[in-house]
């Protein structure tokens, strides 16, 4: 139950968006860079100067009754390079998105535990040991950043005093100079660090395992009698509301794709459960508020009780599209296999969507995507030359190897803007006296893999109808594809609805999906990038399921040209699956520890599925069953097709309608139509829902 204080904040910041009145007009993103160029500043100096400029331009806004403050008034984060400098950099370097440090999880707890004063002392000690000009410049930049953020917090404290908000003023008189002592101080410290990173141009940097690094402050307050459990819940909810104040200004492919995710639970190195009271409060806060931020990821393992899944399912019931579930039993062995130290592997978190991260270190986990469908379609062009299915499959394998090789080649000589601010939250940047943008401890790169189900279904169709049953000659199959099935409608219908489909617990096609993922992992196995890290394969699609479908011709599974691909690790959109049990059995078969970069089994269920406690329990059992079978990640959309269709016609009536989009949750009416339609088309039919109800007793 939301308190009056929280409801007032929701009304002001979320419903009415009254705080938008304090924002300034957007500025020229490149104007400041021209000044930097004229001054002859290098990139490290420019990074510091940009943060100083943006925070100086911010107008402190403190509301009388808030306890956690900070509001963006500057809309534009300047670039540090002129357009000409940017063009030249692109000629000589590989770029991952816009070249900034992004999509990682800083170690907030490490910096918070020191406070800025103690951290500055450690930096000065290192500065005395520095030998090179580069090391000295970097360490001085860290000191400058601490000073800039401290001054900004002081300006907010002055404003708090001016408007009579003593609570905010008292908090900012202690932090960030000192380590926080209370949960309120810790939440404000976290808000300050996360806010400063956005102002520094570092986007999609997740919030991480807040139930772990905030727990000592929560426990302190309870033990000292400063807070009750309900009081702690209200504080968490206020922090969650603060995450939604400026989310419309955050960078993303679509509105809502902003990287503000938290990770809860998990297993400790000794095998104990990391899920705690604060984990539970975070789930309850998210359920009560029904906001798109922060997105919730729940780490589970073999000892996670069903009651945790049941509580998590109540968030799905609300239509939030989260939590997303990630299985420690798959992910941690994968991380150890990829060379991560045990302590880091057990402290893993997740990126903006679902890619696996290690707290405090920068791995480029979403570089690009291998297009499984294209590897099959290219092989289909040579069908008449293939005497056996094995010949055809060998071509697909070669195409996977070639495409993977091309993806790896594109990662050479990566450019990243320096970020001494984020470096303050990396465990070894200070010790090694190097910026987070430079090669570090791991340097691993990750790729997605989209269109898997369509590719597996297509290969199964070729095997069954061309080589096993000889329903079509290779030439006829190729002719049908080239014609986009025009004149072959009956044949297309057979391929589309009668052919073998991944998701029916049918080893004939499931074994092909297993093979495709193994070939993908094999193509990356043992390869090193130019920073010394490995390449990690994944099962996600990200936005590539939209991008790659646009130019994709017809495929042997009966899919027409340009027709949509399934999102992430999911069955084909037109696959007539036997039910959810068959789906999770199929999708648990691959060797997922080899392709654990990230990529959930994504399921759309009607919201009628969640009408009572028994249905919620069965859905929780469904998720747990997939994890117990060896599944790696899962996310569920609880949607209503009629409501979504009406929202397209009358968006003004559905401003707060939330859906899950590939790996994040956003407001449905703010999405581009192609993403809206894909959510609608992915909704499972009533027969599948009935299967959920009828078969949960098996587990």
């Amino acid at each position: 139950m939301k308190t009056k204080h929280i409801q007032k904040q929701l009304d002001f910041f979320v419903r009415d968006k009254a705080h938008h009145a304090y924002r300034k007009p957007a500025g020229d993103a490149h104007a400041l860079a021209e000044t930097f160029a004229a001054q002859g500043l290098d990139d490290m100096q420019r990074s510091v100067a940009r943060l100083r400029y943006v925070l100086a331009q911010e107008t402190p806004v403190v509301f009388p009754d808030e306890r956690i403050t900070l509001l963006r008034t500057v809309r534009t984060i300047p670039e540090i390079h002129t357009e000409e400098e940017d063009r030249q950099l692109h000629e000589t370097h590989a770029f991952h998105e816009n070249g900034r440090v992004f999509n990682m999880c800083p170690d907030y707890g490490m910096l918070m535990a020191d406070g800025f004063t103690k951290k500055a002392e450690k930096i000065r000690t290192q500065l005395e040991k520095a030998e090179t000009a580069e090391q000295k410049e970097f360490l001085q930049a860290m000191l400058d950043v601490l000073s800039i953020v401290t001054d900004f917090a002081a300006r907010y404290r002055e404003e708090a005093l001016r408007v009579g908000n003593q609570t905010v003023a008292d908090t900012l008189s202690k932090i960030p100079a000192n380590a926080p002592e209370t949960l309120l101080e810790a939440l404000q410290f976290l808000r300050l660090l996360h806010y400063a990173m956005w102002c520094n141009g570092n986007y999609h940097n997740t919030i991480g395992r807040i139930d772990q690094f905030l727990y000592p402050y929560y426990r302190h307050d309870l033990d000292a009698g400063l807070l009750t459990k309900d009081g702690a819940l209200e504080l968490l909810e206020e922090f969650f509301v603060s995450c939604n104040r400026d989310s419309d200004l955050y960078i993303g492919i679509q509105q809502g794709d902003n990287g503000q995710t938290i990770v809860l639970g998990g297993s400790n190195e000794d095998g104990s459960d990391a899920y705690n009271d604060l984990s539970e409060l975070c789930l309850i806060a998210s359920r009560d508020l029904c906001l798109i931020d922060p997105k919730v990821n729940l780490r589970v393992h073999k000892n996670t009780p069903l009651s945790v899944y049941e509580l998590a399912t109540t968030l799905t019931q609300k239509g939030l599209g989260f939590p997303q579930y990630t299985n420690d039993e798959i992910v941690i062995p994968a991380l150890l296999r990829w060379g991560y130290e045990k302590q880091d592997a057990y402290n893993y978190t997740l990126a903006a969507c679902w890619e696996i991260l290690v707290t405090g270190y920068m791995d480029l986990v979403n570089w690009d995507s291998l297009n499984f469908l294209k590897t099959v379609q290219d092989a289909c062009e040579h069908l008449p030359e293939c005497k056996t299915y094995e010949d055809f499959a060998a071509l697909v394998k070669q195409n996977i190897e070639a495409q993977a090789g091309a993806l790896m080649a594109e990662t050479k000589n990566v450019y990243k803007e320096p970020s001494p601010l984020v470096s303050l939250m990396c465990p070894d940047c200070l010790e090694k006296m190097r910026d987070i943008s430079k090669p570090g401890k791991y340097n691993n790169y990750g790729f997605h893999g989209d269109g898997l189900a369509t590719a597996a279904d297509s290969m199964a169709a070729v095997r069954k109808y061309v080589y096993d049953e000889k329903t079509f000659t290779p030439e006829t199959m190729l002719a049908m594809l080239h014609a986009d099935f025009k004149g072959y409608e009956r044949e297309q219908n057979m391929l589309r609805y009668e052919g073998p489909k991944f998701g029916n617990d049918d080893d004939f096609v499931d074994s092909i999906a297993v093979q495709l993922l193994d070939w993908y992992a094999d193509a990356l196995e043992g390869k090193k990038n130019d920073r010394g890290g490995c390449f990690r394969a994944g099962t996600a699609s990200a936005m590539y399921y939209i991008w790659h479908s646009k130019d994709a011709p017809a495929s042997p599974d009966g899919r027409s040209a340009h027709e949509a691909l399934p999102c992430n690790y999911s069955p084909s959109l037109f696959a007539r699956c036997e039910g959810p049990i068959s789906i999770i059995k199929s999708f648990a078969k691959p060797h997922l520890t080899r392709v654990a970069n990230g990529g959930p089994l994504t399921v759309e269920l009607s919201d009628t599925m969640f009408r009572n406690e028994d249905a919620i329990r069965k859905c929780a059992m469904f998720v747990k069953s997939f994890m117990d079978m060896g599944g790696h990640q899962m996310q569920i959309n609880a949607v209503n097709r009629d409501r979504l269709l009406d929202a397209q016609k009358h968006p003004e009536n559905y401003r707060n309608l939330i859906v899950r989009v590939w790996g994040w949750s956003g407001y449905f009416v703010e999405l581009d139509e192609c993403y809206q339609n894909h959510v609608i088309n992915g909704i499972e039919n009533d027969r599948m829902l009935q299967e959920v109800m009828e078969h949960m007793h098996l587990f």
Side-chain angles (χ1 to χ4, degrees):
M1 180 71 69
K2 295 184 289 289
T3 65
K4 291 181 179 179
H5 173 69
I6 295 301
Q7 187 60 57
K8 184 178 179 181
Q9 293 223 335
L10 285 170
D11 292 343
F12 186 84
F13 292 110
V14 179
R15 187 192 68 185
D16 299 333
K17 303 186 188 305
H19 61 295
H20 286 191
Y22 296 92
R23 290 181 179 168
K24 302 175 181 179
D28 184 343
H30 288 279
L32 190 62
E34 297 289 347
T35 301
F36 292 162
Q39 294 172 339
L41 301 184
D42 63 26
D43 286 1
M44 182 68 72
Q45 294 166 333
R46 294 184 188 200
S47 177
V48 174
R50 173 174 57 194
L51 180 62
R52 179 181 288 112
Y53 172 84
V54 173
L55 292 186
Q57 295 301 308
E58 284 287 355
T59 300
V61 179
V62 179
F63 299 100
D65 60 347
E66 68 180 356
R67 290 174 293 179
I68 299 173
T69 192
L70 295 183
L71 181 72
R72 285 273 298 276
T73 62
V74 175
R75 298 173 187 265
T76 306
I77 304 301
E79 302 291 337
I80 66 169
H81 296 121
T82 66
E83 293 182 89
E84 175 58 23
E85 288 173 331
D86 189 59
R87 184 189 64 78
Q88 292 176 3
L89 278 170
H90 275 79
E91 289 180 354
T92 56
H93 293 78
F95 268 70
H96 188 212
E97 296 200 13
N98 62 10
R100 296 178 185 168
V101 171
F102 84 110
N103 211 21
M104 63 166 290
C105 184
D107 194 339
Y108 305 96
M110 178 186 70
L111 180 54
M112 290 165 57
D114 278 344
F116 282 11
T117 300
K118 185 175 180 180
K119 180 63 71 174
E121 293 173 357
K122 292 181 178 180
I123 295 170
R124 292 189 185 96
T125 298
Q126 284 294 86
L127 194 54
E128 294 176 359
K129 302 175 184 177
E131 298 178 351
T132 68
E134 183 178 8
Q135 290 174 336
K136 293 175 182 178
E137 180 186 44
F138 166 64
L139 293 170
Q140 184 58 53
M142 294 179 88
L143 288 173
D144 291 343
V145 164
L146 290 175
S147 177
I148 291 167
V149 177
T150 298
D151 291 345
F152 174 70
R155 289 171 54 215
Y156 252 89
R157 180 175 182 273
E158 292 173 2
E159 179 62 12
L161 290 171
R162 189 189 73 79
V163 301
N165 190 326
Q166 194 62 46
T167 299
V168 169
D170 288 347
T171 300
L172 294 177
S173 70
K174 299 175 182 177
I175 63 101
N178 305 301
E181 295 180 352
T182 67
L183 181 61
L184 173 59
E185 292 170 6
L187 288 168
Q188 182 64 76
F189 207 139
L190 176 58
R191 169 75 177 148
L192 176 63
L193 294 176
H194 199 246
Y195 177 100
M197 283 194 300
W198 281 103
C199 291
N200 195 49
N202 302 123
Y203 63 99
H204 279 80
N205 291 304
T206 65
I207 303 172
R209 304 184 72 194
I210 66 173
D211 60 339
Q212 304 304 305
F213 67 81
L214 293 181
Y215 185 78
Y217 308 107
Y218 163 77
R219 191 71 257 167
H220 165 273
D221 286 3
L222 259 61
D223 292 344
L226 300 176
L227 270 184
T228 63
K229 200 169 181 178
D230 287 343
L233 175 62
E234 187 181 59
L235 273 181
L236 279 174
E237 290 185 343
E238 183 164 352
F239 175 76
F240 283 13
V241 172
S242 76
C243 292
N244 291 268
R245 293 185 178 190
D246 311 315
S247 60
D248 60 306
L249 299 180
Y250 296 162
I251 295 172
I253 297 292
Q254 292 280 287
Q255 182 65 45
D257 174 28
N258 55 46
Q260 294 195 102
T261 63
I262 60 174
V263 178
L264 307 175
S267 53
N268 296 313
E269 286 186 63
D270 62 3
S272 60
D273 193 354
Y275 186 91
N276 57 38
D277 286 350
L278 200 55
S279 315
E280 180 179 275
L281 288 179
C282 286
L283 289 174
I284 294 171
S286 184
R287 182 188 64 191
D288 286 352
L289 296 174
C290 289
L291 298 172
I292 62 171
D293 289 312
K295 284 84 175 172
V296 178
N297 290 277
L298 182 62
R299 282 178 50 178
V300 296
H301 52 92
K302 62 184 179 182
N303 295 321
T304 299
L306 181 62
S307 60
V308 172
Y309 287 95
E310 290 176 329
L311 174 58
T313 303
T314 64
L315 277 69
T316 307
Q317 178 191 36
K318 293 284 189 176
L320 297 175
F322 53 72
Q324 177 182 253
Y325 302 87
T326 300
N327 191 355
D328 282 7
E329 308 298 333
I330 299 297
V331 171
I332 291 173
L335 290 170
L336 295 173
R337 188 171 174 275
W338 282 326
Y340 292 88
E341 293 183 3
K342 187 175 181 180
Q343 180 181 4
D344 292 333
Y346 274 84
N347 195 33
Y348 82 84
T349 181
L350 288 101
C353 293
W354 12 241
E355 302 93 339
I356 307 303
L357 297 175
V358 169
T359 303
Y361 296 99
M362 187 180 71
D363 289 325
L364 305 185
V365 293
N366 64 337
W367 185 274
D368 208 328
S369 183
L370 185 130
N371 184 345
F372 279 109
L373 179 58
K374 181 173 173 53
T375 68
V376 175
Q377 289 177 316
D378 288 350
C380 285
E381 293 300 312
H382 301 278
L383 262 176
E385 305 162 28
C386 299
K387 302 302 181 184
T388 65
Y389 171 77
E390 286 69 28
D391 292 341
F392 172 71
L395 286 179
V396 176
K397 181 182 179 184
Q398 290 175 21
N399 291 340
I400 288 176
E401 292 169 347
Q403 195 178 138
L407 292 177
M408 289 185 283
E410 292 171 358
T411 67
K412 294 178 181 178
N413 196 25
V414 175
Y415 173 81
K416 283 291 176 187
E417 289 180 5
S419 181
L421 172 61
V422 178
S423 299
L424 288 162
M425 292 172 276
C426 173
D428 66 356
C429 282
L430 178 56
E431 177 188 353
K432 302 295 184 182
M433 292 185 273
R434 58 143 191 90
D435 187 74
I436 187 72
S437 62
K438 302 296 183 181
K441 185 175 181 179
Y442 295 118
N443 311 299
N444 297 329
Y445 294 173
F447 298 124
H448 304 313
D450 63 280
L452 174 69
T454 306
D457 295 350
S458 294
M459 290 185 70
V462 169
R463 182 175 184 177
K464 177 180 175 69
Y465 295 114
V466 175
Y467 292 103
D468 289 357
E469 299 181 1
K470 303 187 186 305
T471 306
F472 310 118
T473 66
E475 290 79 8
T476 300
M477 174 63 82
L478 189 56
M480 289 192 296
L481 299 179
H482 286 171
D484 194 17
F485 295 108
K486 300 298 188 295
Y488 298 96
E489 286 77 10
R490 183 178 62 82
E491 290 84 353
Q492 181 184 26
N493 190 70
M494 181 186 71
L495 292 168
R496 191 176 180 91
Y497 298 117
E498 299 176 22
K501 304 298 179 186
F502 185 36
N504 275 322
D505 192 23
D506 177 3
D507 283 338
F508 183 85
V509 60
D510 294 354
S511 62
I512 295 174
V514 172
Q515 192 171 55
L516 285 168
L517 288 175
D518 280 347
W519 287 342
Y520 184 19
D522 289 343
L524 304 182
E525 188 77 30
K527 305 294 194 305
K528 295 291 184 181
N529 60 50
D530 62 354
R531 291 190 172 204
C534 70
F535 293 97
R536 302 173 3 183
T539 56
S541 67
M543 58 283 176
Y544 293 97
Y545 74 106
I546 296 290
W547 293 354
H548 285 165
S549 67
K550 291 179 179 178
D551 299 322
S555 48
D557 63 333
R559 178 190 149 276
S560 298
H562 318 303
E563 191 172 358
L565 298 174
C567 179
N568 294 323
Y569 186 60
S570 305
S572 165
L573 292 179
F574 52 77
R576 291 178 172 175
C577 295
E578 295 298 325
I581 308 307
S582 69
I583 290 175
I584 61 177
K585 285 183 176 179
S586 287
F587 281 79
K589 289 178 183 178
H591 307 122
L592 294 171
T593 55
R594 303 195 66 204
V595 288
N597 184 64
L601 171 58
T602 302
V603 179
E604 264 79 32
L605 296 175
S606 169
D607 59 2
T608 60
M609 161 71 192
F610 303 92
R611 286 179 174 171
N612 55 50
E613 291 184 5
D614 183 59
I616 288 173
R617 184 170 186 272
K618 288 177 179 178
C619 184
M621 292 171 68
F622 172 59
V623 178
K624 186 177 187 302
S625 297
F626 180 58
M627 299 303 169
D628 290 345
M629 290 177 184
H632 58 333
Q633 290 182 311
M634 177 181 274
Q635 58 186 15
I636 299 177
N637 238 346
V639 289
N640 183 298
R641 184 183 181 86
D642 292 338
R643 186 180 298 126
L644 296 180
L645 290 171
D646 193 54
Q648 286 186 314
K649 297 177 182 178
H650 306 288
E652 68 279 3
N653 298 330
Y654 296 92
R655 288 170 49 192
N656 296 322
L657 178 60
I658 297 172
V659 294
R660 189 74 172 177
V661 186
W662 82 71
W664 46 274
S665 295
Y667 295 112
F668 180 77
V669 298
E670 295 177 349
L671 302 176
D672 289 347
E673 187 176 4
C674 64
Y675 294 104
Q676 291 181 346
N677 289 340
H678 201 280
V679 172
I680 292 170
N681 293 335
I683 297 173
E684 301 294 339
N685 58 34
D686 290 340
R687 181 174 59 83
M688 178 175 176
L689 302 179
Q690 188 62 34
E691 288 284 340
V692 174
M693 300 297 186
E694 292 177 354
H695 289 282
M696 281 301 107
H697 69 275
L698 296 175
F699 299 92

